[in-house]
Amino acid sequence: MAKTVTVGVFDSGLGGLTVLKECVRVVPRARYLYLGDNANAPYGSKPEEEIFALTLAAVNKLRRRGADVIVLACNTATAVCLDRLRAQFRFPVLGSEPAVLPAARAAKDVLVLATPCTAKSPRLAALIARCPGCRFTVFPAEGLAGAVERWLLGGVPLRLGDHLPAGKFDGVVLGCTHFVFLRKEIAEYYRAPVFDGGEGVANRLKTVLFDRSRKIEGIGSHECLELDNRRIPPNSFQKTTKNAIIFLGSSKNANKCVYKQMFDNIFPYNSTKKCKKT
Ligand code: DGL
């Protein structure tokens, strides 16, 4: 019998919902588990060993709940943990990285906003080194991910000017998945195009699932053989989001509430309904 592939998506909190939305759009036939560790968010200034321990626990939890593939929907966890997780496990682990390459194709003077851990990571330095024709300013926006959590879950007002550096740039990379909730506002703040990695992660997921469906025994005939977009009915996003995303962890209700309000077109955004961090 066909098996629907299960994708485990992890972030320190709400940010990964922006990646989940892209994955659901690009790969609507999968089943999704979302685990946000909001109780411990933000991760971005924590010691690396602590981030690794928290991420490893989350990956193990998603595996126990049946995830075939893990998506680290968190630039910080990717920068700190991806290589170690891939060395440790045989199942596919996908990461999220700042969209430096797409930005460098479109702009010459680029601001990269990231958490402190991502900002100082060798992974980011390696990406930037691949774009010698572009000038990059990397800014560790230390408090911004936490402010996004408080804004979306507690209604605490967020002032961009408290978090962003001054300057003129012709492109801005959102190198933290939490910042994607502020995509429009940040684009207006700098009057520049913004770039994030969500769609790239989703496309990578599609490729990995397609390859797995051909190569890996036991997942042989699962539904993702039908990943070809032409065979996915246009309304499958609505159908899938209603039934096929399971939110896990102590903040599952909060993450589900924000996802539904922000992204689920069955329940359009309703700013009067508050999501609570429970
Ligand atoms: N959303 C995460 C990222 O992409 C982490 C933010 C945080 O917890 O500091 O980096």
Side-chain angles (χ1 to χ4, degrees), residues 10 12 36 60 75 88 103 139-140 189 197 201 229 251 263 270:
F10 169 68
S12 63
N60 282 328
N75 294 262
Q88 194 164 335
F139 182 78
Y189 190 89
V201 176
N229 276 334
S251 298
F263 303 129
N270 167 7

Side-chain angles (χ1 to χ4, degrees), residues 11-13 15-16 41-45 73-77 115 118 145-146 175-178:
D11 181 47
S12 63
Y43 279 14
S45 304
C74 175
N75 294 262
T76 307
T115 66
T118 304
C176 167
T177 53
H178 278 71

Side-chain angles (χ1 to χ4, degrees), residues 71-257:
V71 174
L72 299 181
C74 175
N75 294 262
T76 307
T78 302
V80 175
C81 311
L82 187 66
D83 293 339
R84 282 170 77 180
L85 292 173
R86 283 182 173 165
Q88 194 164 335
F89 296 120
R90 289 190 60 214
F91 52 85
V93 184
L94 278 62
S96 301
E97 286 192 316
V100 162
L101 304 182
R105 282 195 286 272
K108 287 274 157 280
D109 196 353
V110 173
L111 172 66
V112 181
L113 298 170
T115 66
C117 269
T118 304
K120 64 171 196 234
S121 69
R123 273 187 167 271
L124 178 58
L127 276 179
I128 286 176
R130 288 169 61 185
C131 310
C134 188
R135 183 168 168 266
F136 289 95
T137 304
V138 178
F139 182 78
E142 181 153 18
L144 188 52
V148 169
E149 290 272 323
R150 290 190 295 279
W151 166 52
L152 289 173
L153 295 180
V156 179
L158 188 163
R159 279 175 24 97
L160 279 185
D162 294 343
H163 298 278
L164 299 182
K168 276 194 78 60
F169 306 94
D170 61 3
V172 181
V173 173
L174 307 178
C176 167
T177 53
H178 278 71
F179 304 169
V180 180
F181 284 108
L182 299 165
R183 162 179 268 284
K184 194 167 139 276
E185 291 79 2
I186 292 175
E188 278 168 10
Y189 190 89
Y190 289 109
R191 295 180 200 276
V194 295
F195 301 85
D196 74 83
E199 188 177 1
V201 176
N203 287 334
R204 179 82 194 121
L205 174 67
K206 182 173 168 176
T207 306
V208 166
L209 294 179
F210 190 76
D211 287 349
R212 276 173 69 81
S213 67
R214 289 189 167 164
K215 286 188 196 143
I216 303 218
E217 262 181 60
I219 308 198
S221 58
H222 67 61
E223 289 182 6
C224 287
L225 277 174
E226 294 176 47
L227 281 175
D228 185 330
N229 276 334
R230 282 163 301 182
R231 285 192 273 162
I232 295 171
N235 62 351
S236 56
F237 177 63
Q238 288 95 322
K239 281 189 186 152
T240 308
T241 50
K242 190 153 186 215
N243 302 311
I245 302 175
I246 297 167
F247 291 84
L248 303 175
S250 58
S251 298
K252 62 184 178 191
N253 292 335
N255 289 319
K256 185 174 179 178
C257 178

